[in-house]
Amino acid sequence: MRGIKRTGVAGGERARVGRRRFMAGVGASGLATAAVVFGRPGAAQAGALTYPLNCCNLCFAPSISVAACKGYSGHYIWRCSNGAGTLHCECCETKSGGCPAGVKSAGNCSYG
């Protein structure tokens, strides 16, 4: 090989840096793919969240009961708990797919 001067340390270090950059790219691509496939954890909707009811993250302040929300066609329901697992919430919104006008939000949280 003409014109290339290799030393044991520099060549090995260069290869390690190259592998690290490659693996960082693979890891970032994997995380991006997982976010697209599975969505973001903890978020109720893909749109802007404007009302935090404990862990529910509702579009709007609760205006109906969870039971009434379940009666709407196309409702979206989920459950969550705080990090300690002592507060449990049932969350519901009348439409899925963002926070458009007209969405009614509901949430019920209890300890236990």
Side-chain angles (χ1 to χ4, degrees), residues 1-89:
M1 294 196 307
R2 281 176 100 186
I4 297 176
K5 184 177 180 182
R6 292 187 176 251
T7 62
V9 174
E13 183 64 28
R14 196 174 305 127
R16 276 193 293 260
V17 170
R19 277 193 298 271
R20 274 189 231 134
R21 285 186 184 151
F22 173 76
M23 293 308 289
V26 168
S29 297
L31 288 173
T33 301
V36 169
V37 172
F38 298 112
R40 295 176 185 239
Q45 301 286 347
L49 303 174
T50 58
Y51 191 86
L53 176 69
N54 295 312
C55 59
C56 281
N57 297 324
L58 301 170
C59 286
F60 303 107
S63 59
I64 59 174
S65 70
V66 174
C69 183
K70 290 178 182 179
Y72 278 82
S73 175
H75 70 275
Y76 181 73
I77 191 162
W78 67 101
R79 291 174 182 80
C80 59
S81 63
N82 65 354
T86 56
L87 178 68
H88 303 280
C89 298

